[in-house]
Structure formats: C-alpha cells, structure tokens
C-alpha cells in the first residue's frame, strides 16, 4: 500500500525535480552546442572544408585516418530537420545507400549517429558535381556529354532494376571522381518501389505511383508539377534529360521559376535549342522524345537504344560562330542550375 510522503519529503522531492530539470536543460544546451569536428575526430576523421549543402544538411570533406583516404561526410542536424525527415526520409536513405553497389553510384562507408546529428560517411568525388563543372568550364562537348550521360543512365537503370527511384536527379547530385567517372549521389528523397530482383516491367504502374512531390522545379516532370500521383521511374528519366540538356548548353531547358504554373507554361512551349550552339540532330531528337508527356515519354531502355549513342560525333565544344562560352560569366544561366524546389 502506498502512503503519501511527509511534508518535508514532498519539498525535497520538488527540489530534486527542479534540479533534474535544470540539469537536463544544461545537458541539452551542451548537446546543441557540441562541435561536430570533435565527434568526427574521435572517430578518426580530420574535418576539412564544406563541399556541399542540402535542405537540412551540409557536406564536408574529411581525411579518414583509418582508410588513409579522403571522404565526404554528410552532417544532418536532428534539431533543424523536420520530424518527417527524421522518421521517414533519413531511415529510407540509410536503408538504400547501404544496399546499393554500382560503379556509377557513390559508395557508402558508414554512419555515425549521436544525440544531435547523423554523420553519413561516403566516398569522395574529387572533381565535384556537374554544376561545378559547368560553372568552371562552361558547357561540355557533345562527345564528352554522351559519355557522362551514358554513365548516368547506367546508374539509374541499376536503381530502377532494383526497385529504387532516385527522385532528385539534378546537376548538383551527379559528381565525378578523380578518373572522370560519374557518381550519382544524395538519396535523401529516394524510394523503394518494389523488391529487388523483380522485373519492373511486370509491376503495375498504378502500384508504384508516388504522391511525394520532391526534387527541384527545374528538373521536375509535368506530372509532378501538376501535383498528381506520378510514376517516379518516368520522372527520373525526365530529370536525366534536363541534366543532359544542361551539359550541352550550360543552361536549363525550361524556366527555373519557383512556381509550378510558370514552369508548366514553359514546358508547354516545347524544348528550344540555342541557335549558336552546334549539336547533332540526333541528340536534339532524343531530348524531344524525353521531354514528352508521360504516356509518350521514352522508357530508359528506349533512351539507351537511341541512335545518338551509336553515331560518330564531331568533338566541337564551340558554338557555330566559333566563340567559346566556357566560363561562368559568359553563361549567366549556369547560376540558375542549382535552383532548389
């Protein structure tokens, strides 16, 4: 049988409760002000500069003493990330990146979780993103763009074959390693659509429709911008087309306005090709077939069978007037390539 405490005992209990609350508040303050560098140093990493930003995270370059190599570490604060991000997207991202293994997908190494943060340690892509490439060199010669695009398609096909849609393909999220190999990164919005090993051609499209409208406006397919349930497999293909266009012309194919209705109006006008840039008719035709309504859009297999991958190309990095547009200042549209949704 429980008996109520004496008056003195009650006062003492109250004081202890207040002190416990103060102690917890102090501990929480220390957690929030903790230095990520100390956590990473304790785990064998020498932290360097920031090399990327996300909606709820930053990415830093670090030297991994145990592996004797440089790595990239995505640092996500639990204090600033939304509850949905922490409960849904982070576990999903970790589940997928632990599982994927492909030469054109960034390699996951380990994850460190503390009270306040996630630290996702990955392979370091020395040459940076396509966005960085376009800002420093300007547009890419068609032969080189075809090589990069082919590697990107290999990565995406691997994901799709294993029931995974990336859902955030853009120039920021396609990187190059020291040997100029494409590495697809950032699986924060990726999703499993069916079990690995299943033939996705037999999966009912209705069963894989998504209602999560993620990614960037400039890379989003019309069905996403209309906020309708959409097929993320087909949406990935559209986004790949935007990346290819950006490589060839150092600009986006449609407006980068942060308004779905404005982007839809731009898409409705059809894709346009700068007259001063010389590219093959085959790649123009391919892009037109990618930028189609979802029911007419090419599948990934059809994209890979395009004649453009088999014809001989002239390696002509300059426009028809013979003047190079390489360099950030000569192509202001480059600054808009990282526009985020």
């Amino acid at each position: 049988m429980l008996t109520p405490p004496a008056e003195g005992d009650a006062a003492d209990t109250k004081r202890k409760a207040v002190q416990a609350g103060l102690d917890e508040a102090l501990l929480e303050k220390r957690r929030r002000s903790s230095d990520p560098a100390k956590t990473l140093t304790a785990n064998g990493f020498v932290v360097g500069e920031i090399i990327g930003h996300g909606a709820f995270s930053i990415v830093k370059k670090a030297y991994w003493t145990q592996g004797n190599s440089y790595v990239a570490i995505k640092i996500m604060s639990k204090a600033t990330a939304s509850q949905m991000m922490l409960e849904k997207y982070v576990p999903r991202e970790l589940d997928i990146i632990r599982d994927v293994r492909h030469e054109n997908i960034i390699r996951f190494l380990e994850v460190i979780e503390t009270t306040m943060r996630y630290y996702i340690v990955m392979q370091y892509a020395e040459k940076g993103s396509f966005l960085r490439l376009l800002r420093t060199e300007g547009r890419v010669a068609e032969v080189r763009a075809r090589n990069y695009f082919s590697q990107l398609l290999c990565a995406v096909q691997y994901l799709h074959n294993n029931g995974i849609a990336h859902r955030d393909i853009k120039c920021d999220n396609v990187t190059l390693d020291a040997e100029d190999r494409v590495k697809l990164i950032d699986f924060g919005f990726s999703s499993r659509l069916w079990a690995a090993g299943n033939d996705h051609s037999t999966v009912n499209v209705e069963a894989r429709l998504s209602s999560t409208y993620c990614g960037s406006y400039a890379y989003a397919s019309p069905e996403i911008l209309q906020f309708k349930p959409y097929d993320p497999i087909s949406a990935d293909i559209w986004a790949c087309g935007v990346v290819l266009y950006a490589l060839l012309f150092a600009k986006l194919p449609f407006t980068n306005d942060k308004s779905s209705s404005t982007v839809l109006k731009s898409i409705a006008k059809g894709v346009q090709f700068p007259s001063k840039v010389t590219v093959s008719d085959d790649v123009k035709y391919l892009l037109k077939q990618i930028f189609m309504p979802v029911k007419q859009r090419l599948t990934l297999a059809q994209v890979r069978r395009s004649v453009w991958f088999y014809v001989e190309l002239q390696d002509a990095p300059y426009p028809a007037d013979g003047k190079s547009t390489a360099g950030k200042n000569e192509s202001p549209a480059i600054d808009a390539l990282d526009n985020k949704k």
Side-chain angles (χ1 to χ4, degrees):
M1 182 175 179
L2 298 175
T3 56
E7 185 176 347
D9 292 337
D12 187 59
T13 300
K14 184 176 180 180
R15 281 194 299 272
K16 288 181 179 179
V18 171
Q19 186 61 49
L22 292 173
D23 291 343
E24 181 60 28
L26 179 60
L27 179 60
E28 183 65 14
K29 183 178 180 180
R30 288 173 178 171
R31 287 170 181 163
R32 290 180 182 273
S33 62
S34 63
D35 184 2
K38 292 181 180 178
T39 299
L40 292 171
T41 299
N43 283 274
F45 298 98
V46 180
V47 182
E49 71 271 21
I50 295 174
I51 57 174
H53 293 269
F56 303 100
S57 62
I58 60 171
V59 181
K60 288 192 172 186
K61 178 182 177 181
Y63 182 74
W64 183 27
T65 55
Q66 183 180 347
N68 192 30
S69 61
Y70 285 100
V71 296
I73 304 179
K74 181 178 181 179
I75 305 172
M76 179 180 295
S77 170
K78 295 180 180 180
T80 57
S82 67
Q83 199 68 21
M84 178 178 289
M85 182 65 66
L86 295 174
E87 294 180 357
K88 180 179 180 180
Y89 292 110
V90 173
R92 182 186 288 174
E93 177 180 8
L94 293 174
D95 171 62
I96 288 174
I97 62 175
R98 284 183 173 121
D99 197 36
V100 295
R101 292 289 185 276
H102 190 274
E103 63 179 354
N104 296 123
I105 295 176
I106 209 73
R107 188 171 69 255
F108 165 79
L109 298 173
E110 68 171 302
V111 61
I112 302 166
E113 182 180 2
T114 66
T115 306
M116 294 305 300
R117 295 177 180 86
Y118 284 102
Y119 301 85
I120 302 175
V121 185
M122 301 164 287
Q123 172 188 10
Y124 174 60
E126 292 86 349
K127 291 188 177 181
S129 69
F130 279 0
L131 178 62
R132 176 182 172 184
L133 172 70
L134 292 168
R135 283 178 164 172
T136 56
E137 298 185 23
R139 72 174 179 279
V140 174
E142 188 173 348
V143 172
R144 187 179 175 192
R146 182 170 66 178
N147 177 34
Y148 289 160
F149 188 60
S150 179
Q151 292 182 65
L152 174 60
L153 292 181
C154 285
V156 175
Q157 184 174 51
Y158 167 84
L159 293 175
H160 291 181
N161 286 347
N162 285 278
I164 300 167
H166 188 279
R167 301 200 302 182
D168 197 18
I169 296 170
K170 56 185 177 181
C171 288
D172 316 49
N173 289 340
V174 188
T175 62
L176 295 166
D177 69 9
E179 298 180 6
D180 221 32
R181 283 188 299 249
V182 165
K183 301 288 182 179
L184 183 60
I185 66 169
D186 198 345
F187 288 77
F189 287 123
S190 58
S191 178
R192 286 191 187 273
L193 306 176
W194 59 82
N198 287 358
D199 181 0
H200 68 273
S201 64
T202 65
V203 178
N204 190 309
V205 174
E206 296 293 327
R208 70 189 193 208
L209 294 182
S210 175
S211 295
T212 302
Y213 307 104
C214 49
S216 300
Y217 281 92
Y219 294 82
S221 60
E223 58 272 19
I224 294 178
L225 295 168
Q226 292 167 348
F227 300 102
K228 297 178 179 179
Y230 66 95
D231 178 6
I233 295 295
S234 186
D236 274 356
I237 295 168
W238 176 285
C240 286
V242 177
V243 170
L244 174 58
Y245 186 101
L247 287 173
L248 292 169
F249 302 106
K251 61 181 293 185
L252 295 165
F254 310 107
T255 181
N256 64 330
D257 194 279
K258 293 184 179 181
S259 162
S260 58
S261 60
T262 303
V263 180
L264 283 169
K265 288 177 183 177
S266 176
I267 292 172
K269 295 177 182 178
V271 61
Q272 305 295 318
F273 302 103
S275 59
K276 291 186 177 182
V277 179
T278 302
V279 297
S280 68
D281 289 338
D282 291 317
V283 75
K284 291 180 181 179
Y285 181 76
L286 173 60
L287 285 166
K288 288 178 180 178
Q289 297 305 302
I290 291 174
F291 297 139
M292 293 285 282
V294 64
K295 291 184 178 180
Q296 289 83 47
R297 192 174 307 150
L298 295 182
T299 65
L300 196 145
Q302 290 171 329
V303 172
R304 298 196 70 185
R305 289 198 298 268
S306 167
V307 67
W308 180 59
F309 289 105
Y310 303 98
V311 297
E312 184 176 352
L313 295 173
Q314 296 297 319
D315 195 352
Y318 302 125
D321 61 8
K323 297 179 181 178
S324 171
T325 60
K328 178 177 177 180
N329 294 333
E330 296 182 47
S331 187
I334 292 174
D335 288 333
L337 288 171
D338 60 348
N339 184 54
K340 301 183 185 299
K341 187 170 181 177

